[in-house]
Amino acid sequence: DVSGSTDHLTSSASTNASQAAQLKLTWSPLSSLQVWSEGRHQFANTGDAFLPSYFGAGAQYEIHQGVSLEARHLRMAPSGDTPYSVTRLGVRSNIGFGTQVWGSYQLAGGANGSRNAAIVGLNNNLRLNAAWTVTTMFERRVGLNNTSIGDPVRAMPFVQNEEDYWSLGLGIELLPEAKPYRLSARGEYRDGNFQSTQLFTMAGDISINRSFAILSRQEFHRIEQFQADQSLLRRRLHSLWGAAFRPISSDALNVLTKFSWLDESNPRIGALTQTGDEQRLIAAAEVIWAPAVKTELAGRYAVRHSVAQRPTDGGVTQRLESWADYLGMRVQQNINQWVSLRAEGRLLLEHTSDTQRWDATPTLAVVPISALEVSTGYRFGNLMDPDFSVHGGFGWFFTVSARVTETVFPSAAEFWRSRFDK
């Protein structure tokens, strides 16, 4: 395996970037044994933080059916710094009934407890019958107490802060065959030194008939971040409901109407504020029309009402309010089975401040093989918004993605399920 990577890390104080290439060679001399060698070379970097070059080897041996031992040793060679090593030893076991247990121990530079870490985990996927599935997860990480927060040994080969934590998750799915309804729910609790998280999501849909369906997504997310002697609390409560229409006699027209309610405290990206409380109410309608085999047209219209309560330096709470209209259009023309042309445009009209923001994106897509799509284009404009803009910013972009063809959607819910919360 050969790959290249570019990392770009931006903070309020600095910008760091690096470019590197990785190589991994794997050999399986026996059905129960797999060994590999790997390496990374950094070509260039700017800023203070960087991903060091390294080389190393690893092995995985299945000592019994469902039980395997794993070992990995890397020798780090940071530019201008003292080299050091990272060793991971672990065991992974499938104990039956969909349950997997794993554990690993990480040694950074030797048997020094202040720079080592241990991880243990338990994962269970139990299918009760043809309709019900229950998934559980537990993970615990301890160690690295005296290592610098910026030390890349915390999460090699990625530069990021790693903490002591424990997490517990539970998921339930109701997916009956040949039934017009689906339901899934997931909860997770994570308690760490730097951040604690509570998450609950629920999703479901029901097909009234093959042409009409009701879809729903519910989410509660609470994050508490600890920095020095202060803590920051973020909370997000989101409810999304939709009605999907797809005529049974034709797949040329698809319609989705959505109603979304959002309540956030200290949102990461808010429409009006990033401190305080914000509520947003959105009603939207989306239409996808295929007038010909090679042509697809799509349009979306939405109206949003936003209200925020933002604290000021003087201790007074400021109330903000906004009404906005959104209009989006997309056109796709397939030249042949290998090449497609696309164009997207978005316009946001904010009435309270009487401002306009927009973006436009011409795109060229190439399908070298049936399962792969490569696309490139340029995004113009100034539309940045938590609900209506595209993640990634402006300028040139290049994407490589899997492409699924010959898909049959037996109902309106099947067609809109993956597009519902976008």
Side-chain angles (χ1 to χ4, degrees):
D1 297 323
V2 181
S3 62
S5 64
T6 297
D7 298 276
H8 191 83
L9 311 173
T10 302
S11 67
S12 59
S14 62
T15 298
N16 309 282
S18 68
Q19 298 81 40
Q22 295 87 19
L23 172 65
K24 183 177 182 180
L25 179 64
T26 305
W27 178 41
S28 298
L30 304 172
S31 60
S32 58
L33 177 63
Q34 185 180 84
V35 296
W36 65 86
S37 61
E38 57 185 311
R40 178 186 190 276
H41 179 72
Q42 181 168 273
F43 296 107
N45 76 281
T46 58
D48 299 327
F50 57 88
L51 294 134
S53 301
Y54 66 83
F55 61 91
Q60 181 181 37
Y61 180 66
E62 187 175 21
I63 59 176
H64 187 67
Q65 184 176 2
V67 181
S68 59
L69 300 177
E70 301 174 357
R72 183 188 185 206
H73 179 79
L74 300 179
R75 180 68 175 175
M76 308 299 171
S79 177
D81 203 350
T82 304
Y84 61 92
S85 61
V86 175
T87 303
R88 292 180 184 270
L89 305 173
V91 61
R92 188 176 298 271
S93 175
N94 296 313
I95 61 178
F97 301 103
T99 302
Q100 186 179 80
V101 180
W102 74 92
S104 67
Y105 192 75
Q106 172 182 295
L107 300 90
N112 180 354
S114 65
R115 291 174 59 88
N116 299 342
I119 302 176
V120 293
L122 174 67
N123 189 21
N124 177 269
N125 192 324
L126 180 60
R127 190 172 180 86
L128 302 179
N129 51 41
W132 289 93
T133 302
V134 177
T135 303
T136 59
M137 181 274 295
F138 174 79
E139 188 169 287
R140 178 76 170 104
R141 178 188 176 96
V142 293
L144 300 176
N145 297 329
N146 297 332
T147 305
S148 169
I149 291 179
D151 194 329
V153 76
R154 282 185 173 271
M156 276 304 302
F158 305 106
V159 175
Q160 66 184 44
N161 295 341
E162 198 64 62
E163 59 180 333
D164 293 353
Y165 69 87
W166 67 271
S167 64
L168 177 68
L170 172 66
I172 301 175
E173 288 184 317
L174 173 61
L175 306 174
E177 297 181 3
K179 297 293 184 180
Y181 53 85
R182 300 162 61 97
L183 179 66
S184 64
R186 180 171 64 96
E188 180 179 339
Y189 180 80
R190 182 183 187 276
D191 186 19
N193 291 346
F194 302 150
Q195 177 173 293
S196 294
T197 304
Q198 301 172 30
L199 173 66
F200 175 77
T201 61
M202 185 170 62
D205 56 68
I206 181 169
S207 297
I208 308 303
N209 52 49
R210 291 181 60 187
S211 299
F212 185 74
I214 303 296
L215 301 93
S216 176
R217 302 282 190 275
Q218 314 297 321
E219 177 187 327
F220 172 77
H221 197 186
R222 183 182 184 276
I223 302 175
E224 188 173 7
Q225 297 174 318
F226 307 103
Q227 298 177 353
D229 297 331
Q230 298 180 343
S231 64
L232 175 63
L233 178 64
R234 301 181 188 272
R235 179 186 54 81
R236 174 184 172 92
L237 184 61
H238 187 206
S239 179
L240 178 63
W241 294 83
F245 176 70
R246 180 180 173 88
I248 190 173
S249 59
S250 171
D251 61 357
L253 181 66
N254 301 275
V255 181
L256 175 68
T257 59
K258 295 193 295 185
F259 179 82
S260 173
W261 175 76
L262 182 69
D263 184 3
E264 288 189 284
S265 295
N266 299 317
R268 293 185 182 276
I269 303 177
L272 298 176
T273 183
Q274 289 184 285
T275 59
D277 299 326
E278 180 174 292
Q279 298 83 38
R280 301 199 296 271
L281 201 60
I282 303 173
E286 183 174 354
V287 178
I288 297 179
W289 179 41
V293 175
K294 294 184 178 182
T295 305
E296 183 178 279
L297 306 174
R300 177 185 295 180
Y301 172 76
V303 58
R304 179 180 69 191
H305 181 224
S306 306
V307 177
Q309 294 79 35
R310 181 174 63 185
T312 63
D313 294 337
V316 179
T317 300
Q318 181 183 20
R319 187 180 187 275
L320 305 175
E321 186 175 4
S322 168
W323 282 95
D325 288 320
Y326 167 82
L327 181 64
M329 298 292 293
R330 177 173 60 85
V331 179
Q332 176 172 319
Q333 180 65 46
N334 298 328
I335 306 303
N336 51 44
Q337 59 179 332
W338 300 287
V339 180
S340 298
L341 298 177
R342 300 171 188 163
E344 297 182 31
R346 299 173 180 84
L347 176 64
L348 183 66
L349 305 175
E350 208 289 314
H351 300 295
T352 306
S353 61
D354 194 23
T355 58
Q356 300 179 6
R357 286 171 285 169
W358 63 277
D359 71 12
T361 310
T363 304
L364 172 66
V366 178
V367 183
I369 58 176
S370 59
L372 181 67
E373 179 180 282
V374 179
S375 61
T376 184
Y378 193 91
R379 183 167 292 113
F380 304 87
N382 60 353
L383 177 57
M384 297 294 291
D385 188 88
D387 300 310
F388 302 120
S389 65
V390 177
H391 296 293
F394 308 103
W396 288 101
F397 63 88
F398 178 81
T399 61
V400 179
S401 57
R403 184 173 183 267
V404 181
T405 60
E406 304 295 336
T407 302
V408 177
F409 299 103
S411 67
E414 292 282 354
F415 178 83
W416 284 107
R417 187 174 295 123
S418 61
R419 303 168 172 86
F420 182 50
D421 52 2
K422 293 183 179 180

